[in-house]
Amino acid sequence: MGIHAACVLAAGKGTRMHSSRPKVLQTLLGEPMVRYVLAALEPHFADNIWLVVGHGAEEVQKAVPGSRFVLQSEQLGTGHALACALPVLKEAGVERLLVINGDVPLVTADILSRFLEQMGDSELAFATINLDDPGAYGRIVRKDGHLVGIVEAKDYDMSVWGPPSGEVNAGLYSLDLGLAEKLLPRLNNANKSGEYYITDLIGLALEEGHRVAGIICGTTTALLGVNSPLELDEAETILQKDINRRLLASGVILHAAASVRISPFAQIEPGADITGPCEITGKSCIRADACIMTNCVVRDSVVEGGAEIRPFSHLEGALVHSGALVGPYARLRPGAELGVNSHVGNFVELKKTKLGEGAKANHLTYLGDATIGRGTNIGAGTITCNYDGKHKYQTVIGEHAFIGSNTAMVAPVRVGDNTLIGAGSTITRDVPDGELAIARSRQKNLGVRRNLQPEEKA
Ligand code: UD1
Ligand code: CA
C-alpha cells in the first residue's frame, strides 16, 4: 500500500493580517499557528507531512525545524500550492493525501480522525462547517441534495446559486494522488482573485463522475480559519478558555483564570497554583505545589514543587528546584538553574548560572556564566564581569562563601569555599578556600574640614 501523507498549505502572505510576518507564524498563546496544525497531524501521519512554504519561507522553515518543505515561489493560489507539492509527493510514493490550510490552529487530532473515518471510499473528500454568516469562506453549493461544487465568496453569484446556505468549506481535504495529478493541470485562474483554487477540484471531479464527499462537521469551532487580527483574537480566546477549563478540571488552581495564558504545549500538574495575569508558554513544566504569582512570564522553564515565583518575574529556559524563591522582579535567562531552597530576589538577573542549594542573591545582581556553591551569599550589587567584548568567561564561587556588596568578579576567576570578599572589591585573581579578600583602595580621611554654608549648618 502506498503512503498516506499530509500536506499543509502555508505559503500565503496573509494580506488581511496587515503584518510583515507570514500568517502561519502569527502566534496563539505564544506558539505559531502552523505548529498547532502540525501537532494535530503528527499522531496520524508521523513524519509523512509536507509543508508548502513561499512567503517568508525561511522564517517558516526555522519555526518548525525537522519538517519537510516544498517551495511555492510564487503564490498563485491554493490549487497552485498543491500542484507545486505534487512531484515531490509522487516521488515519495504518496498515494493518498490529506491537505489542510495552515491557518486552522484550532484543529485537533480528534477532528482529523472523524474526518478520515467518514470519508469512506470517496476519491475526494472535504470538510464543511455551518456558520451563521458564511463571510469570506468558500460556499458549498448543493442542488436537490446533490453536491455541485464550492464557490468562493468573491465569485458567488446569488442570481445563479441563490442565497448561500451557511455551509462552507473548512479548508480540509483528502484525495487520491492520481486524481490530483489528473485534475490539477485543468485548474484555471479565470475568477475574481485571478488564482488557481484548490476548491475547483471538487466541481471538476464531480463533472467526471468521481466519488466526491462533502463531510459535514457541523458547527465546530475547530476548523475556523484565521485571516485577520479579529479572527486571530477569536481563535486565541477559544483556545485559552478551552485550555484553562481543562486545567481547572484536572486540579490546577488558577486565580483570575481569564487572564492566565498557558500554551497547550506546556505541562501543568494538578496542584500547581497560578495567578493571572501571567503567561506560561513553550515547553514549560509547572509541577504540583509550584506557585506562579501575578504578572510573571514563564517560557520553556521548569518550576518544581514548593518553588515560588513571585510577581513580575521573567523566566526563560530556566530550571527552578523545589523550595526556591524567585522575585519579585527577577529575571532568569536560559541556563539559569536554581538549587533547592535558593533565593533570587528583586532586580537579579541570571544567565547560564547554577545557584547551589540554599544559596542567595537577593538584590540587584548580575550572574552570568557562573557556578555558585551551596549556602553562598551574594551581596547586593554583585556583578560577574563575564564578557570582554569578544568572549565569555566563567566565574566559579565555592560553598558557603560570603560575597560582599558591590563586588565585581572579573572572569575567568575562581573564589573558593568559605571565602569572604570585602564589599566593593574588584576580584581579578583566584581566591583560595577559606581566605578573606579585599580588592579596593583603602579609605583616606584627608583631615580637611568641609566648609559648610550657614544654611547647611542649620
Ligand atoms: C480558503 C478556501 C475557502 C475556504 C477557506 C477555509 C480556496 C481558494 N479557498 O480560502 O474555500 O472556505 O480557505 O478557511 O482555497 N496558500 C498557499 N499558497 C497560495 C495561497 C494560499 O500556500 O498561493 C495557503 C495560505 O498560506 C493558507 C491557505 O493556503 O494557509 C489558505 O489560503 P487563504 O488565502 O487563507 O484562503 P481563504 O481565502 O481563507
Ligand atoms: Ca484562510
Side-chain angles (χ1 to χ4, degrees), residues 299-345:
R299 182 158 188 90
D300 295 323
S301 296
V302 177
V303 181
E304 303 275 16
E308 201 170 288
I309 312 300
R310 294 174 171 172
F312 295 96
S313 294
H314 191 283
L315 281 65
E316 185 175 0
L319 169 55
V320 179
H321 288 288
S322 66
L325 302 182
V326 176
Y329 296 99
R331 179 164 184 216
L332 305 183
R333 291 169 52 199
E337 181 176 345
L338 271 56
V340 172
N341 296 330
S342 61
H343 293 187
V344 164

Side-chain angles (χ1 to χ4, degrees), residues 9 11-12 16 23 72 75 77-78 101-103 138 152 169 197 227:
L9 307 183
R16 289 164 279 179
K23 182 171 66 176
Q72 182 195 20
Q75 289 79 59
T78 46
N101 286 354
D103 63 355
E152 289 307 307
N169 172 30
Y197 295 155
N227 302 293

